[in-house]
């Protein structure tokens, strides 16, 4: 398999041919390689969530655009249930994704749909809850409504992980979390990516998060893919980011500001750690 | 307006919105091959409103349901306000009153009522048997099945939820009976047709309403129920209702 | 789920913005007029009267310019249904000996009262369809609420909580799109977890179960929201509608009085017809 997800030239209009028609995507492309971490960045309303919905078959391409996920062409008849077990999508608002009354049942939903026997289901539930740092002993029997926001978010991820997808897609999953919560999620994603070889695709508004986590990024602006490539490249093109109404990532912005003052750094840093290193080099002279 | 009043107003408003959503997006309608068209769940917000906050809220949401179904209707029968709107006023009210009524009853009381119901049904079966033997037997079998089912249910379910279920069932029944009744009065259907439709629609609707209402109230008030999980080799204990 | 996309755009009827004489009427007149027409449709039994009502409605609809395409489409779609219903009604209306028989064919007999009943039902149906289309066409949702509240205001003195009822309506309107989005979210989240979103029609129970799985979380979420909103209102010291002022004040203009006059006269005429 060359690419886990390959989207080209995608166009989508919501409620086409009705008075409420709204175009969300004009020409979008995305390539997610297996076992890589890819990010989608772009301002609000760019169409990022819409694009994600194509990745697990919630939306199907009909007019223009090609969508291939795990070597299946989504404009043809595809076994959606099987696809969705392999492509896990975690949505933005956690309380909409938990629909069972008890956490354990919600996490068990996916495995049960897969037809696993109860022992295996239970195993998966335990594993998934542990993976998201929710103690199964405590949380499996709790009512979903009694969880805090952060806990709900993690429970939602557990529910998606329970089917052991080869592609994990997350829509702004750390927005609104405190730094510790964010770190936990990052650690989890890295672990999945490195140990299990899961391809991770995530949408984020936080450029520093993207800089820290992702290998590649795609910039989506008003339904158009403006750029796609390694994060380092993308983030050193500050004018491009500005055109897309995105601020600069911290490290890159710092470098640019210093440059404007005549202090040139050898390489454009991506993270705070790199910036520190570059500055130190520049300082040493 | 006191806090209680505000809660009522807000809940009525939100339930009304939900009713409108269910009616105008067809989620609330399950198509059935009968003259009445669709089996509905859009009356459930009215039931819940009546149950949780009293007859006034039930009345308002019921009115909303009636009006929505009137606006949405494309058949002469439901375009008649007497059929679409008037009967619906009572859904929430009946649910509220029924809930208030059975609230005081404990298990014994409820079992007694179930028992009486069973006897009534069997008596009816006997009567029918005299006229049409086969129908009588069918009726009797159904009555017994119902009785046994109810008995089991009463034993295992949380008492509060049983009361909720009864109130919800009665509320749904009100919808079926009054709407079809008005349809007959206004001469859109004949009585036999209405009876058949009532049985085909009414019973499933009643059961579904009861189940959904119980599910909702259980989740809101955190009553009863435990995880569905069944550790291998152990028997499933106690609780029943899933969220 | 049939269509996951359109759920967030739920609205009551189809509002068609415009500037016709009808559009510019006071909301109270619109709603009041509608109620009057509905009452007439229910009460009037004469064929001439009902026919006059239909014509009257058609005139008004033409004047308002809202177009009848969608209304006609829904009637068209329900046509087979309606035909069957009417035939059934014809067949099963009991025939009394004094009734005039129009047609006799073997054992089937068509009596005039039966036919008349069918015609009356049809005419009523058309009047109501047109009236509803007209009202929802010339009145936006917000205006509808204003109209209802305005009409109920005089009854406050009799103890009817008009302001509270209007508030209920406002809350409902505000939440409608939110609920639509929510249902979409829940449906998508469930679909993403392996719930196939094609409906197998012959499994009625399965459909019911799927619906229930969608509805219960929706209800619970709805209840939560209402608690939050109630808290917010309490925090803002909301204390009922007495003495509340409104952002949009509607005043009755000469046009409204004229419309009312025409309304009353026409109603009287229609009621007087055989």
């Amino acid at each position: 398999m060359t690419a886990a997800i390959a989207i080209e030239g995608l166009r989508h209009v919501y409620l086409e041919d009705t008075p409420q028609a709204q175009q969300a995507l004009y020409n979008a492309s995305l390539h997610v390689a297996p076992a890589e971490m890819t990010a989608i960045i772009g301002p609000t309303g760019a169409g990022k969530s819409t694009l994600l919905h194509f990745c697990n078959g919630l939306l199907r391409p009909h007019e223009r655009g090609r969508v291939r996920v795990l070597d299946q062409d989504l404009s043809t008849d595809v076994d959606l249930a099987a696809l969705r077990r392999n492509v896990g999508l975690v949505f933005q608002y956690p309380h909409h994704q938990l629909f069972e009354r008890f956490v354990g049942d919600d996490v068990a939903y996916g495995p049960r749909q897969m037809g696993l026997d109860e022992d295996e289901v239970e195993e998966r539930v335990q594993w998934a809850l542990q993976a998201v740092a929710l103690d199964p002993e405590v949380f499996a029997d709790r009512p979903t409504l009694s969880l805090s926001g952060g806990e709900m978010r993690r429970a939602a991820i557990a529910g998606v992980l329970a089917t052991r997808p080869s592609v994990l897609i997350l829509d702004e999953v750390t927005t609104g979390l405190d730094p510790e919560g964010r770190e936990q999620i990052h650690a989890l994603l890295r672990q999945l990516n490195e140990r299990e070889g899961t391809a991770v695709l995530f949408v984020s508004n936080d450029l520093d998060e993207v800089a820290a986590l992702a290998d590649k990024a795609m910039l989506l602006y008003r339904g158009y893919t403006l750029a796609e490539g390694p994060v380092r490249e993308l983030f050193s093109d500050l004018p491009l980011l500005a055109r897309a109404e995105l601020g600069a990532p911290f490290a890159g912005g710092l470098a640019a500001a210093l440059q404007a003052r005549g202090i040139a750094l050898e390489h454009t840093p991506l993270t705070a750690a790199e910036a520190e290193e570059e500055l130190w080099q520049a300082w040493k002279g | 307006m006191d806090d209680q009043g505000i809660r009522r107003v807000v809940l009525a408003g939100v339930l009304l919105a939900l009713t409108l959503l269910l009616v105008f997006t067809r989620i609330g309608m399950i198509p059935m091959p009968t003259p009445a068209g669709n089996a509905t769940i859009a009356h459930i917000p009215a039931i819940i409103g009546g149950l949780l906050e009293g007859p006034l809220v039930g009345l308002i949401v019921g009115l909303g349901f009636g009006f929505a179904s009137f606006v949405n209707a494309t058949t002469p029968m439901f375009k008649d306000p007497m059929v679409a709107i008037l009967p619906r006023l009572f859904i929430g009210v009946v649910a509220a009153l029924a809930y208030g009524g059975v609230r005081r009853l404990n298990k014994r009381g409820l079992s007694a009522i179930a028992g009486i119901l069973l006897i009534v049904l069997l008596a009816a079966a006997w009567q029918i048997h005299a006229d049409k033997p086969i129908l009588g037997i069918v009726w009797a079998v159904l009555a017994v099945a119902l009785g046994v089912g109810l008995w089991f249910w009463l034993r295992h379910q949380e008492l509060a939820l049983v009361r909720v279920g009864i109130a919800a069932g009665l509320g749904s029944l009100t919808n079926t009976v009054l709407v079809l009744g008005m349809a007959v009065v206004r001469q859109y259907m004949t009585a036999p047709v209405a009876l058949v439709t009532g049985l085909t629609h009414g019973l499933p609707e009643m059961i579904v309403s009861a189940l959904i209402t119980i599910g909702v109230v259980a989740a809101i008030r955190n009553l009863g129920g435990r995880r569905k999980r069944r550790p291998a080799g152990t028997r499933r204990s106690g609780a029943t209702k899933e969220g | 789920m049939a269509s996951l996309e359109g759920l967030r755009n739920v609205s009551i009827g189809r509002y068609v913005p415009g500037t016709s004489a009808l559009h510019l009427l006071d909301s109270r007149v619109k709603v009041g007029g509608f109620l009057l027409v509905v009452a007439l449709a229910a009460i009037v039994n004469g064929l001439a009267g009902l026919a006059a009502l239909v014509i009257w409605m058609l005139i008004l609809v033409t004047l308002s310019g809202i177009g009848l395409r969608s209304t006609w489409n829904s009637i068209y779609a329900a046509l087979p249904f309606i035909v069957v219903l009417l035939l059934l009604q014809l067949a099963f209306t009991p025939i009394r000996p004094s009734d005039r028989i129009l047609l006799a064919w073997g054992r089937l007999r068509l009596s005039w009262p039966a036919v008349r009943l069918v015609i009356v039902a049809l005419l009523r149906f058309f009047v109501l369809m047109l009236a509803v289309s007209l009202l929802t066409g010339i009145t936006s949702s917000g205006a509808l609420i204003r109209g209802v509240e305005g009409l109920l205001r005089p009854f406050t003195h009799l103890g009817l909580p008009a302001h509270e009822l209007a508030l209920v309506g406002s809350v409902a309107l505000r939440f409608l799109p939110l609920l639509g989005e929510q249902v979409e979210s829940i449906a998508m989240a469930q679909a993403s977890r392996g719930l196939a979103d094609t409906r197998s029609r012959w499994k009625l129970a399965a459909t019911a179960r799927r619906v229930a799985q969608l509805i219960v979380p929706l209800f619970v979420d709805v209840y939560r929201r209402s608690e939050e909103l109630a808290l917010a209102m309490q925090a803002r010291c909301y204390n009922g509608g007495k003495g509340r002022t409104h952002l949009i004040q509607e005043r009755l203009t000469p046009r409204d009085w004229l419309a009312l006059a025409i309304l009353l006269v026409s109603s009287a005429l229609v009621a007087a017809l055989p």
Side-chain angles (χ1 to χ4, degrees):
Chain A
M1 159 167 53
T2 45
I5 299 178
I7 298 180
E8 264 131 46
L10 190 56
R11 172 187 183 275
H12 184 69
V13 182
Y14 278 111
L15 301 175
E16 197 152 16
D17 297 329
T18 69
Q20 293 107 345
Q22 206 178 10
Q23 183 133 15
L25 296 173
Y26 290 86
N27 192 348
S29 10
L30 177 68
H31 299 88
V32 178
E36 243 185 22
M37 304 252 266
T38 312
I40 302 180
I41 58 178
T44 329
K48 309 189 290 280
S49 295
T50 310
L51 192 59
L52 290 188
H53 294 164
F54 275 96
C55 295
N56 79 341
L58 285 173
L59 292 173
R60 311 287 283 272
H62 42 196
E63 235 193 63
R64 250 185 55 208
R66 266 194 336 144
V67 177
R68 283 189 76 85
V69 179
L70 294 176
D71 278 336
Q72 295 181 68
D73 186 344
L74 288 193
S75 52
T76 62
D77 252 316
V78 161
D79 182 355
L80 286 175
L83 180 69
R84 285 167 190 166
R85 279 178 231 135
N86 274 316
V87 178
L89 178 45
V90 181
F91 289 81
Q92 229 173 332
Y93 301 109
H95 51 279
H96 288 165
Q97 305 176 62
L98 304 170
F99 49 82
E100 284 284 350
R101 211 169 128 209
F102 297 101
V103 174
D105 285 330
D106 200 88
V107 177
Y109 182 80
R112 287 215 181 103
Q113 290 287 100
M114 287 170 71
L116 302 173
D117 63 70
E118 283 300 316
D119 284 332
E120 258 208 84
V121 169
E122 191 55 30
E123 228 182 87
R124 298 260 181 130
V125 169
Q126 300 276 323
W127 171 79
L129 284 174
Q130 261 156 1
V132 297
L134 288 175
D135 185 354
E137 294 292 307
V138 174
F139 284 95
D141 291 306
R142 290 264 298 266
T144 45
L145 293 172
S146 68
L147 265 52
S148 73
E151 287 165 352
M152 275 194 202
R153 213 178 288 239
R154 283 185 274 162
I157 298 178
V160 172
L161 286 182
T163 60
R164 302 271 198 165
S166 41
V167 182
L168 183 62
I169 307 179
L170 308 121
D171 194 350
E172 295 202 42
V173 73
T174 58
T175 312
L177 277 186
D178 58 14
E180 190 188 318
R182 200 170 303 183
E183 255 319 299
Q184 276 174 344
I185 304 275
H186 288 183
L188 169 64
L189 293 180
R190 280 200 197 96
Q191 187 186 57
L192 285 170
N193 182 247
E194 280 154 30
R195 280 203 223 152
E196 320 261 341
T198 317
V200 174
L201 172 66
F202 65 100
V203 167
S204 178
N205 271 323
D206 183 349
L207 294 183
D208 294 318
E209 177 177 57
V210 173
L213 272 185
D215 306 311
K216 284 179 41 212
M218 187 273 275
L219 175 56
L220 192 66
Y221 180 64
R222 300 216 180 155
Y224 288 94
T225 297
L226 286 190
E228 195 178 357
V231 173
R232 196 171 287 279
E233 259 178 52
L234 214 69
F235 277 20
S236 44
D237 190 347
L238 292 184
L240 178 66
L241 294 177
R243 227 178 42 227
E245 293 171 27
L246 293 173
F250 165 72
L254 180 63
L258 289 173
Q259 183 140 41
R261 283 184 183 242
I263 306 174
L265 300 178
E266 211 179 308
H267 303 110
T268 318
L270 209 54
T271 61
E274 287 180 21
E276 183 193 335
E277 186 55 39
E278 290 296 317
L279 274 174
W280 174 239
Q281 293 298 334
W283 178 263
K284 277 198 311 195
Chain B
M1 183 185 270
D2 62 348
D3 289 353
Q4 178 82 312
I6 294 182
R7 268 199 19 233
R8 288 217 179 113
V9 164
V10 170
L11 188 65
V14 179
L15 287 175
L16 181 60
L18 188 55
T19 308
L20 294 175
L21 181 79
L22 291 174
V23 171
F24 289 108
T25 60
R26 310 275 153 163
I27 303 176
M29 308 277 162
I30 305 172
M32 298 201 92
T34 62
N38 302 307
T40 185
I41 54 170
H43 60 308
I44 297 182
I47 292 177
I48 292 186
L51 234 142
L52 291 177
E53 287 291 343
L56 188 55
V57 171
L59 181 74
I60 294 175
V61 183
L63 176 62
F65 173 43
F67 183 71
S69 110
F70 170 65
V71 168
N72 202 36
T74 49
T75 58
M77 185 170 95
F78 280 109
K79 213 65 180 181
D80 185 342
M82 295 295 231
V83 173
I85 303 183
L86 189 61
R88 268 70 186 266
L89 294 173
F90 295 96
I91 302 176
V93 174
V94 166
L97 294 177
Y99 189 56
V102 295
R103 227 155 158 201
R104 304 285 166 78
L105 297 174
N106 58 6
K107 210 179 236 185
R108 282 249 191 94
L110 292 171
S111 309
I113 291 189
I116 295 175
L117 183 66
L118 191 61
I119 294 175
V120 166
L121 284 176
L122 283 174
W126 187 255
Q127 273 286 20
I128 298 176
H129 184 81
D131 206 17
K132 295 178 186 161
I134 302 179
L135 196 59
I137 295 179
V138 169
W139 194 264
V141 167
L142 283 176
V144 170
L146 186 66
V148 170
L150 278 177
W151 187 71
F152 264 110
W153 189 49
L154 256 173
R155 279 200 76 204
H156 291 279
Q157 181 59 286
E158 188 97 14
L159 208 56
L161 295 180
V162 169
R163 297 188 190 114
V164 167
I166 293 177
L170 287 174
S172 181
L173 200 61
T174 315
N175 183 40
T176 314
V177 167
L178 289 183
V179 168
L180 289 174
M182 279 314 285
V184 170
V185 164
R186 300 283 278 175
Q187 295 181 305
Y188 293 107
M189 327 180 140
T190 54
V193 172
L195 193 64
V196 170
T197 312
L199 287 174
T200 336
H201 267 215
L203 255 82
E205 266 182 23
M206 214 167 83
I207 297 177
V208 170
S209 306
L211 288 177
I212 292 183
T213 309
I214 289 177
V216 173
V217 175
I220 293 177
R221 299 223 176 124
N222 208 7
L223 295 166
R226 222 178 292 167
R227 257 187 76 195
K228 282 186 265 194
R229 77 190 207 82
R230 273 169 267 203
T234 55
R235 235 171 45 100
R236 198 177 184 197
S237 63
T240 46
K241 286 304 147 213
E242 320 153 355
Chain C
M1 304 294 137
S3 151
L4 287 179
E5 279 186 7
L7 289 176
R8 67 180 81 180
N9 285 305
V10 196
S11 63
I12 307 178
R14 274 160 223 267
Y15 175 51
V16 180
T19 51
S20 73
L22 287 162
H23 276 91
L24 297 173
L25 289 173
D26 186 298
S27 307
R28 287 167 285 180
V29 174
K30 290 176 188 169
V31 177
F34 171 75
L35 291 173
L36 187 58
V37 170
V38 169
L40 280 175
I43 297 172
V44 168
N45 244 315
L47 285 179
L50 282 173
L53 260 180
V54 174
I55 296 174
W56 185 19
M57 287 292 106
L58 286 171
I59 295 176
L60 287 180
V61 167
T62 324
L63 277 178
S64 71
I66 60 177
L68 279 179
R69 168 82 69 85
S70 55
T71 316
W72 175 243
N73 281 343
S74 24
I75 297 184
Y76 193 71
L79 217 49
F81 232 157
I82 297 177
V83 167
V84 168
L85 279 174
L86 296 176
L87 284 176
L88 282 175
Q89 210 168 3
L90 272 177
F92 287 112
T93 313
I95 300 179
R96 291 181 305 228
S98 58
D99 294 343
R100 192 172 95 201
I101 306 291
L102 291 176
L103 227 78
W105 187 39
R107 286 190 62 197
L108 278 124
R109 277 177 304 176
L110 221 61
S111 68
W112 168 240
V115 173
R116 190 181 185 284
L117 212 71
V118 164
I119 298 179
V120 164
L122 256 177
L123 287 175
R124 270 211 188 107
F125 174 60
F126 285 135
V127 171
L128 290 171
M129 287 292 282
L130 289 170
V132 167
S133 293
L134 186 62
L135 179 68
T136 55
I138 61 177
T139 326
S140 70
S141 311
L144 264 173
I145 296 292
R146 274 204 308 279
V148 171
E149 185 190 359
L151 285 177
L152 290 176
R153 214 174 295 158
F155 292 99
T156 329
H157 302 296
L158 292 173
L160 194 70
H163 284 293
E164 281 66 32
L165 288 177
L167 191 64
V168 169
S170 302
V171 169
L173 275 176
R174 182 66 196 90
F175 271 93
L176 199 50
L178 292 181
L179 291 186
E181 276 177 32
Q182 216 161 306
V183 172
E184 248 188 77
S185 285
I186 297 180
M188 283 198 294
Q190 286 185 348
S192 298
R193 300 262 231 99
L195 187 81
D197 64 354
T198 46
R199 197 191 279 192
S200 46
R201 274 174 200 263
W202 54 279
K203 273 199 183 137
L204 191 64
T207 314
R209 187 157 194 275
R210 209 164 288 153
V211 168
Q213 220 165 22
L214 183 65
I215 295 300
V216 175
L218 184 63
F219 264 103
V220 175
D221 205 71
V222 157
Y223 188 77
R224 287 285 159 119
R225 283 191 189 243
S226 75
E227 283 189 328
E228 285 168 12
L229 180 58
L231 271 174
M233 286 173 68
Q234 286 165 11
R236 293 230 208 123
C237 302
Y238 180 78
N239 62 352
K242 268 201 282 267
R244 238 179 108 222
T245 53
H246 299 256
L247 183 61
I248 303 178
Q249 311 254 31
E250 281 186 288
R251 296 239 141 75
L252 292 176
T253 63
R255 177 188 285 118
D256 295 312
W257 292 115
L258 178 64
L260 272 175
I262 298 179
L263 202 63
L264 289 171
V265 169
S266 314
S267 308
L269 281 174
V270 163
L273 283 174

